[in-house]
C-alpha cells in the first residue's frame, strides 16, 4: 500500500527537483512516516497493550469505511438528490474534522522531526515538502475510507458523471475540513494554553466514540422519522456542503444557471484558496505552538502556587456522604482523579453514551416508526429502562477505577495507618455514585417526568434504592482492589464482555421484577426499608474489609 501511495509522487519529480528537493531523501522520510502511522494507536478509545507491528491504521480505515455504509444507505433511499449530496458532504467534512482534531498534533503538525532530520544532510525544503506530502497522503487515505461507499452508491444510482464529480468534491471538502480545523485550534490557543488543548482533544475523542456508538443505532432509523423535504434559505448558501451539492446537481441535471455556476466556482476555487492560505500564512507560526502539545509540559508557576480559598466541591460532598476521614480522603481522591485521568475518561465517558444506545434498542424497537413510538410512549412502561440503565453504565466504573498508569504510587496506601482498607473502597464507590450515577439518574428522571408525568416519581424512588443496592452488591462480589492501584493491561482487563453481559442481565431482571410490582405500589413501599437496610449492611461489610481481603 505504501509503495502504491508513493508512486503518486513520481509524476512531480521534475518539478520538485527544480525546487531544490532531494527526491531520495523525500521518499525515505515519507515512507518512514507512513510506517509510523500504521503503528500509532489512533484516538486511544481503549487503553490496551498494543502489538508494535500491528497495522492500527488499517483497522481505523476499515471502521470508517464500515460507517460509510450507512451514508450509502441514505443515498440510495433519500429521494431528493440535493439533500442526499448535502448529507454526504456534511458527513465527510464532519468526520474528517473530528479525525483531524483528535490526531492533529501527532500527525499533521508533528514537528519533532526537526530535531531528528535537520541535523542530517537534509535541506529544509526537502523536509518541508516531505511533511506536506505525508499530510496529503494521510488525508487521501482517510478520504478514501470515508467516501468509498458513498461514491460507489452515487455511481450506482446517479451515473458515472456524478460519481466522478463526487470524487472531486469529496477531496475539496477535506481541504475545507483541514482549514476549519486550523481555525479551531487557533481560536482555542488564543484564549487557552497547550494543556487545555490536550483536554479539549480528549473530549473530542470521547465525542467521536459516542457518535460512532450512538450513530449506529440512530442513523438506520432516521429514514423513518423525516420526510426528507428540503427548503434552502439564503443562509444555506453560506455552507460548503450546499456548494458541493449544487455543483453536483449541475452535473447530474445539466442545469446551468447563475446560481449553479456561482456555487460550482465556490466549491472548486475557495477550498484551494483556503488551503493555500493555510500553508502560506497559518501553518508556519501555528506549528511551533502545537509542537508543545506533544510534551507533558508543567503547569505555569501561577497555577502551581495558586492557593484556592475554601473547600472544593469534592471536599464539601465528602463531608456530607462520608463520616470517616479515610473514607473522605478516598472520596475526594477518586473525584479528582476521575476528572484528571485521561485513561479513565476515555474508557468510562463513552459508556454514558451507551444509555442512549440501549434506549433506542429497548424503547424504540426495531421495525417500529420512531415518531409513532414517541407519540405513544407515555402510555407504555418503557420508563423502567430509564430507571435501571444507569446502573449498567455506573457499574463499569468499579472495574475501571482500579487501573492507573501511575499504579506504582499505590504503595502510599500501605504506608498509611489505615486499619480497615475497605473504607478506601467505599469512599471511592460513594464518589462514583455521587459524581456520575446521581447526575445521570436525575437527568433521566427529568426526561421521564416530562413524558410520563409525576405518577412515575415513586417508581424512580424505588428504582434508586434498587440501583444503589445492586451497585454495592457488584462492589462486594467483585475482587477488592484499591482505587488506582493496578497496572492497565490486556490480561487484567480480559473478561469484561462477560461481566457486561451479566450486568445487562441484572438490569433486565430488575426491569422485569419492577414491572410485576407496578400494579401493587404498596409492595414497593413495603420493600423500601429492607432495601435501604441492605444498602447500609453492605456498606458496613465493605468498610470492615481487612487487608487480607484486598487483592494486589
Amino acid at each position: 500500500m505504501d509503495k502504491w501511495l508513493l508512486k503518486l509522487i513520481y509524476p512531480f519529480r521534475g518539478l520538485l527537483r527544480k525546487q531544490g528537493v532531494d527526491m531520495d531523501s523525500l521518499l525515505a522520510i515519507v515512507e518512514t512516516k507512513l510506517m509510523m502511522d500504521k503503528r500509532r494507536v489512533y484516538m486511544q478509545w481503549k487503553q490496551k497493550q498494543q502489538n508494535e507491528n500491528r497495522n492500527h491504521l488499517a483497522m481505523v480505515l476499515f471502521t470508517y469505511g464500515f460507517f460509510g455504509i450507512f451514508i450509502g444507505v441514505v443515498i440510495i433511499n433519500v429521494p431528493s438528490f440535493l439533500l442526499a449530496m448535502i448529507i454526504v458532504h456534511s458527513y465527510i467534512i464532519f468526520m474528517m474534522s473530528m479525525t483531524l482534531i483528535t490526531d492533529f498534533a501527532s500527525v499533521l503538525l508533528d514537528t519533532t522531526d526537526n530535531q531528528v532530520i535537520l541535523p542530517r544532510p537534509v535541506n529544509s525544503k526537502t523536509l518541508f515538502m516531505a511533511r506536506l506530502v505525508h499530510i496529503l497522503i494521510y488525508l487521501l487515505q482517510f478520504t478514501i475510507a470515508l467516501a468509498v461507499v458513498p461514491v460507489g452508491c452515487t455511481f450506482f444510482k446517479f451515473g458515472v458523471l456524478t460519481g466522478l464529480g463526487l470524487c472531486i468534491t469529496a477531496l475539496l471538502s477535506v481541504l475545507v475540513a483541514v482549514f476549519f480545523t486550523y481555525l479551531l485550534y487557533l481560536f482555542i490557543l488564543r484564549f487557552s494554553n497547550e494543556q487545555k488543548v490536550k483536554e479539549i482533544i480528549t473530549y473530542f475523542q470521547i465525542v467521536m466514540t459516542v457518535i460512532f456508538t450512538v450513530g449506529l443505532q440512530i442513523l438506520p432509523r432516521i429514514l423513518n422519522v423525516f420526510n426528507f423535504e428540503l427548503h434552502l434559505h439564503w443562509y444555506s448558501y453560506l455552507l460548503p456542503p450546499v456548494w458541493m451539492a449544487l455543483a453536483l446537481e449541475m452535473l447530474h441535471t445539466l442545469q446551468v444557471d447563475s446560481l449553479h455556476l456561482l456555487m460550482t466556482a465556490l466549491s472548486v476555487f475557495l477550498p484551494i484558496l483556503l488551503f493555500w492560505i493555510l500553508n502560506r500564512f497559518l501553518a508556519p507560526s501555528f506549528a511551533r505552538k502545537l509542537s508543545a502539545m506533544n510534551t507533558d509540559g508543567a503547569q505555569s508557576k501561577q497555577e502551581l502556587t495558586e492557593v484556592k480559598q475554601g473547600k472544593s466541591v469534592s471536599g464539601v460532598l465528602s463531608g456530607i456522604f462520608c463520616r470517616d476521614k479515610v473514607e473522605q480522603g478516598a472520596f475526594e481522591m477518586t473525584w479528582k482523579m476521575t476528572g484528571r485521568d485521561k485513561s479513565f475518561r476515555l474508557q468510562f465517558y463513552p459508556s454514558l453514551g451507551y444509555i442512549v444506545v440501549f434506549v433506542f434498542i429497548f424503547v424504540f424497537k426495531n421495525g417500529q416508526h420512531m415518531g409513532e413510538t414517541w407519540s405513544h410512549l407515555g402510555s407504555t412502561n418503557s420508563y423502567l429502562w430509564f430507571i435501571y440503565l444507569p446502573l449498567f453504565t455506573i457499574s463499569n466504573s468499579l472495574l475501571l477505577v482500579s487501573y492507573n498508569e501511575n499504579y506504582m504510587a499505590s504503595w502510599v496506601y500501605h504506608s498509611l495507618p489505615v486499619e480497615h482498607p475497605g473504607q478506601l473502597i467505599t469512599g471511592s464507590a460513594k464518589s462514583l455514585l455521587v459524581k456520575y450515577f446521581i447526575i445521570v439518574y436525575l437527568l433521566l428522571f427529568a426526561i421521564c417526568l416530562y413524558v410520563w408525568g409525576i405518577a412515575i416519581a415513586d417508581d424512580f424512588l424505588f428504582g434508586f434504592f434498587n440501583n444503589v443496592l445492586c451497585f454495592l452488591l457488584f462492589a462486594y462480589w467483585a475482587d477488592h482492589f484499591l482505587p488506582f492501584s493496578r497496572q492497565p493491561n490486556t490480561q487484567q482487563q480480559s473478561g469484561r464482555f462477560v461481566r457486561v453481559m451479566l450486568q445487562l442481565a441484572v438490569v433486565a431482571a430488575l426491569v422485569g421484577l419492577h414491572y410485576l410490582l407496578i400494579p401493587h405500589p404498596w409492595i414497593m413501599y413495603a420493600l423500601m426499608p429492607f432495601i435501604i437496610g441492605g444498602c447500609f449492611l453492605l456498606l458496613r461489610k465493605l468498610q470492615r474489609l481487612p487487608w487480607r481481603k484486598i487483592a494486589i
Side-chain angles (χ1 to χ4, degrees):
M1 182 66 176
D2 292 348
K3 301 294 184 182
W4 180 82
L5 291 172
L6 289 174
K7 288 181 180 179
L8 298 175
I9 309 173
Y10 291 166
F12 306 96
R13 285 179 294 180
L15 179 62
L16 293 175
R17 286 196 178 98
K18 289 180 181 180
Q19 300 295 325
V21 176
D22 184 348
M23 285 302 301
D24 293 333
S25 299
L26 182 143
L27 293 174
I29 294 172
V30 174
E31 186 175 4
T32 303
K33 285 178 172 289
L34 293 176
M35 185 183 302
M36 293 172 64
D37 287 344
K38 291 181 179 180
R39 297 182 179 180
R40 188 169 54 86
V41 180
Y42 285 78
M43 292 183 288
Q44 298 180 358
W45 289 348
K46 294 184 179 180
Q47 303 295 317
K48 298 181 179 180
Q49 286 183 340
Q50 301 291 341
N51 184 355
E52 183 182 80
N53 296 317
R54 189 176 182 181
N55 192 341
H56 303 293
L57 178 60
M59 297 178 61
V60 175
L61 295 177
F62 176 80
T63 303
Y64 280 30
F66 176 78
F67 202 73
I69 294 175
F70 297 95
I71 302 299
V73 172
V74 172
I75 294 175
I76 297 298
N77 289 275
V78 171
S80 171
F81 172 84
L82 190 60
L83 178 58
M85 292 300 103
I86 291 175
I87 292 174
V88 170
H89 290 92
S90 300
Y91 154 76
I92 293 174
I93 292 176
F94 174 78
M95 292 297 294
M96 184 59 71
S97 298
M98 295 296 289
T99 302
L100 295 179
I101 288 169
T102 55
D103 293 321
F104 213 62
S106 57
V107 174
L108 299 184
L109 291 175
D110 184 10
T111 59
T112 56
D113 49 8
N114 289 344
Q115 291 76 30
V116 177
I117 300 176
L118 281 182
R120 274 66 179 174
V122 178
N123 60 55
S124 58
K125 288 185 178 180
T126 301
L127 180 58
F128 174 78
M129 191 56 61
R131 185 179 299 160
L132 179 61
V133 170
H134 170 242
I135 291 173
L136 293 176
I137 293 178
Y138 176 87
L139 296 176
L140 178 62
Q141 293 179 90
F142 275 87
T143 303
I144 293 174
L146 290 170
V148 61
V149 177
V151 167
C153 294
T154 302
F155 271 105
F156 173 77
K157 185 175 181 180
F158 301 112
V160 176
L161 185 61
T162 306
L164 293 174
L166 180 57
C167 294
I168 298 173
T169 55
L171 294 173
L172 295 171
S173 298
V174 171
L175 297 183
V176 174
V178 174
F179 180 80
F180 283 114
T181 305
Y182 263 95
L183 290 183
L184 175 63
Y185 269 93
L186 284 171
F187 178 78
I188 294 173
L189 289 177
R190 175 65 178 81
F191 300 100
S192 185
N193 54 36
E194 289 83 358
Q195 189 64 30
K196 293 295 183 181
V197 174
K198 291 181 182 180
E199 295 296 315
I200 293 172
I201 291 176
T202 299
Y203 288 110
F204 269 113
Q205 293 172 331
I206 294 170
V207 169
M208 279 289 289
T209 305
V210 174
I211 287 174
F212 271 112
T213 307
V214 178
L216 291 174
Q217 289 295 325
I218 297 178
L219 195 57
R221 294 171 168 84
I222 286 182
L223 298 176
N224 295 325
V225 180
F226 302 105
N227 55 11
F228 297 109
E229 293 183 1
L230 178 64
H231 302 285
L232 293 178
H233 302 279
W234 66 267
Y235 50 82
S236 304
Y237 301 107
L238 302 177
L239 304 175
V242 177
W243 310 341
M244 311 293 177
L246 287 171
L248 292 178
E249 186 180 52
M250 187 177 70
L251 286 177
H252 179 62
T253 62
L254 300 179
Q255 179 183 355
V256 181
D257 53 34
S258 58
L259 175 62
H260 285 83
L261 288 174
L262 176 61
M263 294 296 105
T264 301
L266 286 174
S267 64
V268 173
F269 295 110
L270 191 58
I272 297 174
L273 176 63
L274 293 177
F275 193 72
W276 179 81
I277 294 173
L278 183 150
N279 281 281
R280 181 67 178 85
F281 299 104
L282 300 182
S285 61
F286 192 42
R288 178 178 54 82
K289 295 181 180 180
L290 284 183
S291 62
M293 294 174 53
N294 295 325
T295 60
D296 294 325
Q299 292 179 319
S300 64
K301 292 183 179 180
Q302 180 181 358
E303 293 175 331
L304 290 175
T305 58
E306 181 181 3
V307 178
K308 295 184 178 180
Q309 301 295 327
K311 279 190 175 182
S312 61
V313 174
S314 59
V316 174
L317 293 176
S318 66
I320 297 175
F321 293 96
C322 306
R323 294 184 178 180
D324 189 89
K325 292 295 183 181
V326 175
E327 203 174 54
Q328 290 178 10
F331 184 102
E332 291 190 56
M333 181 188 67
T334 302
W335 186 284
K336 294 176 180 178
M337 285 290 293
T338 52
R340 298 171 182 173
D341 187 3
K342 180 179 179 181
S343 175
F344 176 85
R345 286 180 295 166
L346 286 177
Q347 294 182 84
F348 176 71
Y349 283 11
S351 66
L352 298 177
Y354 296 163
I355 295 177
V356 181
V357 175
F358 285 109
V359 165
F360 273 87
I361 292 176
F362 296 122
V363 178
F364 300 99
K365 300 179 177 61
N366 292 326
Q368 295 186 9
H369 194 288
M370 280 183 57
E372 182 181 351
T373 302
W374 175 261
S375 63
H376 296 90
L377 198 59
S379 60
T380 67
N381 295 322
S382 297
Y383 61 86
L384 295 177
W385 293 108
F386 289 86
I387 293 176
Y388 293 103
L389 281 176
L391 172 65
F392 171 73
T393 297
I394 194 64
S395 58
N396 291 327
S397 64
L398 286 171
L399 174 67
L400 297 176
V401 79
S402 62
Y403 296 103
N404 190 264
E405 293 180 354
N406 300 317
Y407 66 96
M408 295 184 68
S410 61
W411 64 268
V412 71
Y413 293 133
H414 304 273
S415 66
L416 296 174
V418 178
E419 183 178 358
H420 299 291
Q423 294 173 335
L424 297 170
I425 296 176
T426 55
S428 179
K430 287 180 180 180
S431 180
L432 294 172
L433 275 173
V434 175
K435 186 175 183 179
Y436 297 112
F437 174 77
I438 291 180
I439 294 176
V440 174
Y441 198 76
L442 290 176
L443 177 62
L444 294 178
F445 173 65
I447 295 173
C448 292
L449 198 64
Y450 172 77
V451 177
W452 282 276
I454 194 64
I456 50 91
D458 55 349
D459 292 282
F460 265 83
L461 182 62
F462 179 70
F464 175 81
F465 294 119
N466 275 339
N467 281 318
V468 174
L469 178 65
C470 290
F471 179 78
L472 294 175
L473 282 173
F474 290 151
Y476 184 75
W477 288 335
D479 294 331
H480 303 303
F481 293 98
L482 296 178
F484 310 105
S485 64
R486 304 177 71 193
Q487 180 182 10
N489 58 54
T490 306
Q491 285 75 22
Q492 287 182 342
Q493 295 186 9
S494 61
R496 286 180 60 184
F497 177 77
V498 177
R499 283 190 288 269
V500 168
M501 291 298 102
L502 290 175
Q503 291 166 1
L504 188 59
V506 170
V507 170
L510 288 172
V511 170
L513 292 174
H514 196 143
Y515 177 78
L516 296 176
L517 295 177
I518 289 178
H520 311 286
W522 63 271
I523 298 180
M524 289 192 291
Y525 288 110
L527 290 175
M528 277 188 199
F530 296 97
I531 295 173
I532 296 173
C535 292
F536 281 106
L537 179 63
L538 283 171
L539 269 177
R540 194 67 173 167
K541 284 184 171 293
L542 283 170
Q543 288 170 343
R544 293 188 174 184
L545 285 174
W547 280 105
R548 67 175 183 274
K549 295 290 186 180
I550 303 300
I552 300 177

